Amino acid sequence: MLPFLFLLLLLLNVFAVTCFHPPASFSISPDSSFQVLLNNEPFLQSGSFRITNNAENLPLEPSSQQITNEGYDTWGAYNSTTINFEFEETTWLQVSLLAYEEFVVIQTTLPLGLKNTAAAVSSQPPMDGDLSNVLLSFQKASTEKYNFLTWNSDNEFSYETGSNGLTGACDLNQCSEYSGLPMVLHDSSSKTSAVISPVNNFKDLEVSSNGDEWSVGLRRTIENVSPGFSSSFIIVPGSGSPRKNMNTWGQLMRSRYGRKLHDPSKSIDSEYLGYWTDNGATYYYHTDNNSTTEETFQALKDYHVESGLSKLFKYYHFDSWFYPKDSQTGMLEWDANTTLLPSGLPNLVYNILETSAIVAHSRWFSPNSTYVTDQLEFNWVLDHKDHVDDEVSAIPLNTREFFSSLATKAKTNWGMATYEQDWLDAIITKSSYLTNSTGRIATYMTEQALGLADAGVTIGYGSANPFHLLQALDIPSATFVFASNNPTDMETVEQNFHVSRSAILSHEVGMVAMKDAWWSSSQENIDNPNPLYNYTNGWPNSAMHAAIATLTNGPVGPGDAINASNATLLKRTCRADGLLLRPTRPCLAVDVSLEPGFNGELCDATVDVGGSRWHYVLSAALAEDIKITTDLLDTINDDELFYVTDAQNEVSGGFLSDKHIVAPKDVNATKIGAEHQFNLFRISPELKGAKGSYFLLGELEKFVSVSTQRFTEVEVGGDSRLKVLLSGVEEEIVEIGVGFMGRDGEVEIAVVGCEFGGETTATITCMGTSCECI
């Protein structure tokens, strides 16, 4: 018996060793090339490395000796193998392969640093699309069965999907200093996927394509690198779902940097409804009927008061029209353009608009700025070898001190609450100081945000690329990023609402994606339309734009003309005091919409209250019908029962398990300027009681009918009574929908009204369909 047991245990041990493989690992060949394995199957095959020093490409050879080690960091324990790459018996590059329990990291180190290494100064200029310094590369052919999801910068932060792996990504011009990472390679048939991403030095890197290889290396503009410079790249495996894979990656990256998910209550631009004047809004470089700027804003404020909208708009946004600029449009002073605002910003803010909070646009500082000429204590740098003097971005080396001073004065004098840093990439590319050495861009962005935070001011980004968002992992006061282009004609209006794919990355780094300017009504009959825009038949799909702006958790800022706002629509976004009703997690693209060639928007937002999760699935401009099932959702429990109603089209409800809930095809999906089919599915979880089950539908007229801004507690007691605690504004009246399902399996809907009177809290109790609010 004992020999038999011993043999059985031995066989079980062998089975465990041979059948269990870590999700990600390395296989190293004798020639020091290596493979990244997913579940012990080949995934990525390493390519070549390249180093340039003193304008010479060094022919590196791997050392015959490989160094193994063990270690522990914030991500846990790992095993490592280090390969030294040498030139003339000197180590110039060290590549360490770190295997953690659930993922792998590739770390590259330049122990001696580099001099005179930029592509622009190399005596052996790289081939088209190539880099002087390659720190990581993979062979494209090893990834051709995978689809890809990545992010880029097409004027504003955006996304790209496609097929054919790394080859397809580079064919679509996703290999540059502006885009290409993070990247998700995914294959639904084999249920495999992985996220590839840098871990640090984000703005010092560039993605490139050279023949058969996909590469990441130093930015071409970098001329010198300090000894010991080290960059790490993480590969996080998944089960074929790009969104879930990105969620795992995001948790790892946020834990590394101590970053938290965005909390709308931390910045007024995300917490309350605001009025915006950015590109696409009515009063962007435009006034009303030959009025002055001050007269236009006085008329606008009068209209907001008369229509009751002044109770909703808790801040106003000023775009670049408000400050003076030089001939190259750099800022001369970040204050009122006295030609437009002769009475100054304090008068506009406090006397005309009667507000206390402003979101203010900014761009690069001109070398002729009054700050450069008069505030020498901030140590300004003006150089750029590729630009004439008046095209330079002036950079204060005492960055934190300058922005702290600037923000303190602006907040004190005219209520600035959020600094909108637009033209972010232009600021960087117009300064050779920032771009010719490692670490300077990261330092500038971090110190700028710290200076603003010293004054209690947050920062949002425009014209950003994915590497900027990665850098924001280390910038907790960075709140939003523009994720759609300026809507200046019907074609850009059609692109303006595709935000949910971009929102995946912004959400995982702790920011929110902002849908650019929109109008709450078509406004085709306004007296004095802005001549900058070409909206043939007015602004289409106002409700769809309002819903997407609300569900993505970014700023919600209509730019309507005087006498042209749709107050009923705007009230669907918020409470009576303008507090936005938000999902806990923004509307992120579902996996089916991340496949190559998918048209339209299909995203899922969630709200968590009292241990239960509500879902809001938004569909718009779909090319085909798509069934809404639990497979599309991030459910807490796959066996949950959900009741579904369409918040936009008021169709009869049904159970998600019935398989007949369909996001319908839009016959106008590809027609520019058409009214699109738009649905918002309200998906309520079952709240079980002894005598039946409840489905809290919430505020039926709101886009987010159940939100943490309104509901603080939801529970069913042992007596099968539903208890709901909610908050509101004095004198506010709300109507709450509750579904009850008895033993017959039919759902009956009750609507209970709550009037807050002089109180700001209320309690709803229901026994079956008999409900009251006290």
Side-chain angles (χ1 to χ4, degrees), residues 518-758:
W518 55 281
W519 297 351
S520 69
S521 67
S522 64
Q523 305 185 49
E524 66 266 34
N525 296 318
I526 60 175
D527 294 335
N528 183 29
N530 192 321
L532 294 174
Y533 312 136
N534 181 23
Y535 303 151
T536 309
N537 297 308
W539 179 274
N541 307 298
S542 291
M544 180 185 71
H545 284 269
I548 291 173
T550 303
L551 288 164
T552 51
N553 279 359
V556 180
D560 297 318
I562 296 167
N563 297 321
S565 292
N566 182 339
T568 301
L569 176 61
L570 294 178
K571 289 176 182 178
R572 294 186 67 185
T573 70
C574 61
R575 292 192 328 188
D577 60 349
L579 180 71
L580 292 165
L581 302 175
R582 298 294 213 176
T584 307
R585 193 210 64 199
C587 212
L588 305 181
V590 301
D591 284 332
V592 67
S593 70
L594 302 175
E595 295 294 328
F598 184 91
N599 292 314
E601 282 286 284
L602 186 63
C603 62
D604 167 35
T606 61
V607 174
D608 295 334
V609 181
S612 296
R613 175 169 293 172
W614 283 255
H615 294 262
Y616 296 87
V617 173
L618 183 145
S619 68
L622 297 181
E624 59 184 21
D625 291 349
I626 296 180
K627 289 185 177 180
I628 307 300
T629 67
T630 54
D631 293 338
L632 293 178
L633 312 178
D634 290 333
T635 55
I636 295 177
N637 181 353
D638 289 341
D639 296 328
E640 279 186 288
L641 184 65
F642 291 96
Y643 189 72
V644 186
T645 53
D646 189 338
Q648 180 60 22
N649 296 289
E650 297 303 326
V651 298
S652 58
F655 293 107
L656 198 60
S657 56
D658 292 343
K659 307 295 184 184
H660 71 264
I661 307 299
V662 175
K665 172 183 177 179
D666 178 9
V667 295
N668 294 322
T670 59
K671 294 182 180 179
I672 294 177
E675 284 291 330
H676 289 306
Q677 177 69 42
F678 154 53
N679 294 75
L680 178 58
F681 297 96
R682 181 194 300 120
I683 302 176
S684 305
E686 181 183 19
L687 307 170
K688 293 181 180 180
K691 299 178 181 179
S693 296
Y694 296 93
F695 299 93
L696 178 62
L697 307 182
E699 294 180 84
L700 300 178
E701 76 278 11
K702 305 295 186 182
F703 290 125
V704 183
S705 58
V706 175
S707 67
T708 57
Q709 288 79 17
R710 179 72 79 188
F711 297 89
T712 58
E713 184 179 331
V714 178
E715 64 178 6
V716 179
D719 59 353
S720 202
R721 187 181 299 273
L722 174 68
K723 179 182 177 182
V724 179
L725 271 60
L726 60 160
S727 61
V729 183
E730 291 185 9
E731 309 304 326
E732 185 178 21
I733 300 174
V734 298
E735 291 188 335
I736 307 299
V738 178
F740 177 75
M741 181 179 66
R743 298 185 188 281
D744 60 0
E746 297 295 322
V747 176
E748 295 183 64
I749 307 297
V751 178
V752 56
C754 285
E755 184 172 353
F756 286 94

Side-chain angles (χ1 to χ4, degrees), residues 71 76 108 120 137 286 294 325 337 534 536 545:
T108 59
S137 69
H286 182 61
E294 291 178 342
K325 296 169 282 291
N337 180 342
N534 181 23
T536 309
H545 284 269

Side-chain angles (χ1 to χ4, degrees), residues 206-258:
E206 184 173 341
V207 182
S208 180
S209 174
N210 174 30
D212 297 331
E213 295 184 353
W214 172 93
S215 306
V216 185
L218 294 177
R219 283 176 63 113
R220 301 162 197 266
T221 56
I222 291 175
E223 298 177 358
N224 298 292
V225 179
S226 299
F229 176 84
S230 182
S231 285
S232 296
F233 304 88
I234 189 171
I235 299 173
V236 183
S239 58
S241 165
R243 195 174 77 177
K244 291 181 180 178
N245 207 165
M246 280 296 294
N247 178 251
T248 303
W249 169 85
Q251 292 180 51
L252 288 166
M253 295 297 284
R254 292 194 306 274
S255 71
R256 188 79 161 194
Y257 284 90

